[in-house]
Amino acid sequence: MDTVIVTFEPDGALAGVAHGTTVLEAARAAGVRVAAPCGGAGLCAGCAVLVQGQLTPPTRDERRLLSADQLARGMRLACRARVTGPVVVRPLGASGAVETLSAAPVTVAGYVVDPPGARGLACTGRALGVAIDLGTTTIEASIVDLRNGDSVTAASVANPQAAWGADVMSRVSHAMAGGSVALREAVADALSALLASMLEEAGAQAHDICEAALAGNTVMTHLLLGQDVSPLASAPYQGAHLEATVRDLASVGIRGAGDADLYVLPAASAFLGGDVVAGLVATRFEEGGGVALFIDLGTNGEIVLRTPEGLLATSAAAGPAFEGGAASSGMRAEPGAIWRVGWDGEELRLDTIGDVAPRGFCGSGLLALVASLLDAGVIAPDGRMSPHGALGARVEEREGQLVFRVSEGVALTQGDVRAFQLALAAVRAGVERLLAVGGIDEDAVGEVVLAGALGAALDEASLQRVGMLPSDWRPRVRVVGNAAHAGTAAALVSSAARAKAASVARVVRTHDLAMDPGFRDVFIGSMTFPAG
């Protein structure tokens, strides 16, 4: 069979593949990371790339998810476009093997910093450590001075495992089908590049790093540590590794820090990982008085309820909507992402990261956009889109579904709205069922702590407009941003924080929504938006 040469810009990576191979398969063969939020099922536009050369004609999925203008400019879905001759591919937003972004500095959340020597660390050089929040969509990391807990530099990068699906179960399935090594190497390579970038920014050397701490959900940590993920595939989830783990960075494939130890925070259960434990450590959530909720808005919406009897938690499968994934114009929070939207009754105001032309929208932008279109009458309470109101002229039909033109090359589809409704309903129903199981009345909740990447740029008015939480809870909401990263940094420098993590992981009781007979009805009833 004839071999087709596929070239990937800007690095010039090459793959020789068989005639008829998809661009996504060619990218994997070349070692080029192309995001595939839906796992290559043709359900989203997350794997869109610019292609020149010989390809099969656009498929029905491509005509449905991409505009005629986008197709005319050479944009194709990597999971659907098949090569028939030489092609040149440029992933959207590609600027090199790893694109890093500055991230907000983290604090040690008020924990006492233990000097490295007091913890048995024989540090040389500058005595630096690395705190890593290994997220499903985004990896955030920071270099921290181990002597005082000060943040030296911080950065983030997209999790390259998105090439095998945006959600954790897609990655579990791929790992169980023999892809665990590829998943592990992908994230280890990304962490190595991220570490090198931060060391250069800090003017530091590899020998300056003498310890690292990492938190992530159980799937992320199992994959990185080379542990069996099959216990995470289905109930009763027995056999999952939940204890804190210490390895050296090199043993898990993270290069550039010698033999420095890596401390991985413990998990509370198979679906309540070390990232949530880290968030609880950072906010000292269990130490507060009265009834409260901790909600981490991410690919999985983890919810923790504080009651007089202790902590009760659950995890709602929200999907990637809150982090900008899977939507037709969704993207992570990087330059060009719409992060805030306003509507004054006549004009739609779009604010982008970096104040550059819009390329798509991240999670907070999607939330604000849906809220604005609800106010404008474009989206009805049942989620249906219609060409009504002052913005109705921007609604058009493409391949059998209605689409709202946000800006040049950026659109919100009816399918995007439905996906957002599903994510919204999962969190709302999770909160309601957790309160019911805990025997807590809605009015008794005194505080709601919102964490996660979406929470960092959250517009509370938009949150109320879409009905994620009861309207009278707005004064009770406290937004804390990425508490998982802050908690990991605390665990990096403080023995007390590590002890707190172990204690919290041990005492949290978990409730499995998949086994909850009341969840389905509540979930269906949570799909609608509040009336204006």
Side-chain angles (χ1 to χ4, degrees), residues 53-88:
Q54 301 175 35
L55 299 159
T56 52
T59 64
R60 181 176 180 180
D61 288 336
E62 291 177 287
R63 294 194 303 271
R64 174 173 56 85
L65 293 169
L66 300 175
S67 68
D69 177 65
Q70 288 173 322
L71 290 169
R73 289 190 286 113
M75 191 179 295
R76 299 291 299 272
L77 298 186
C79 71
R80 288 295 177 263
R82 296 181 180 275
V83 299
T84 58
V87 297
V88 177

Side-chain angles (χ1 to χ4, degrees), residues 333-520:
E334 60 188 30
I338 299 168
W339 69 277
R340 185 171 59 187
V341 181
W343 186 68
D344 60 8
E346 295 183 2
E347 298 291 336
L348 200 64
R349 187 193 73 250
L350 307 176
D351 293 329
T352 65
I353 297 174
D355 293 324
V356 297
R359 291 175 43 216
F361 42 75
C362 59
S364 62
L366 175 59
L367 171 67
L369 178 60
V370 171
S372 294
L373 295 184
L374 283 166
D375 285 338
V378 171
I379 298 177
D382 64 2
R384 286 183 295 179
M385 195 179 289
S386 61
H388 294 154
L391 300 176
R394 294 166 65 171
V395 177
E396 59 189 49
E397 185 173 336
R398 297 180 189 171
E399 295 295 323
Q401 73 167 332
L402 293 180
V403 173
F404 178 81
R405 288 182 285 104
V406 181
S407 65
E408 179 64 30
V410 180
L412 181 76
T413 71
Q414 182 67 77
D416 296 338
V417 177
R418 292 302 186 203
F420 182 79
Q421 285 179 279
L422 291 171
L424 185 69
V427 174
R428 288 170 58 175
V431 168
E432 184 171 334
R433 288 305 302 154
L434 200 62
L435 290 173
V437 171
I440 302 295
D441 186 83
E442 183 179 291
D443 293 335
V445 177
E447 182 182 33
V448 181
V449 179
L450 284 182
L454 173 62
L458 188 64
D459 177 18
E460 294 179 33
S462 296
L463 186 76
Q464 179 180 354
R465 181 64 185 90
V466 301
M468 181 178 290
L469 300 174
S471 59
D472 59 349
W473 279 9
R474 185 175 177 185
R476 314 175 199 179
V477 173
R478 177 164 64 99
V479 179
V480 297
N482 192 349
H485 194 178
T488 305
L492 175 66
V493 300
S494 171
S495 298
R498 295 191 187 190
K500 176 71 72 175
S503 172
V504 167
R506 186 169 55 250
V507 302
V508 173
R509 295 178 296 124
T510 56
H511 176 67
D512 187 358
L513 292 177
M515 307 299 290
D516 184 340
F519 176 73
R520 177 179 172 81

Side-chain angles (χ1 to χ4, degrees), residues 288-305:
V291 176
L293 282 166
F294 176 94
I295 305 175
D296 191 319
L297 295 173
T299 307
N300 291 309
E302 289 95 355
I303 308 161
V304 183
L305 173 65

Side-chain angles (χ1 to χ4, degrees), residues 154-184:
S156 68
V157 67
N159 189 327
Q161 292 175 343
W164 292 277
D167 61 284
V168 292
M169 293 314 298
S170 294
R171 300 180 200 178
V172 168
S173 297
H174 185 72
M176 292 176 65
S180 58
V181 172
L183 288 163
R184 179 183 182 182

Side-chain angles (χ1 to χ4, degrees), residues 33 160-161 164 171-190 222-229 252-253 255:
R33 309 300 179 189
Q161 292 175 343
W164 292 277
R171 300 180 200 178
V172 168
S173 297
H174 185 72
M176 292 176 65
S180 58
V181 172
L183 288 163
R184 179 183 182 182
E185 290 179 348
V187 80
D189 288 347
H222 275 62
L223 289 172
L224 177 65
L225 298 175
Q227 295 166 337
D228 180 18
V229 297
V252 297
R255 303 176 300 279

Side-chain angles (χ1 to χ4, degrees), residues 207-225:
H207 67 265
D208 291 321
I209 302 295
C210 57
E211 192 174 27
L214 179 146
N217 64 53
T218 51
V219 172
M220 294 299 98
T221 55
H222 275 62
L223 289 172
L224 177 65
L225 298 175

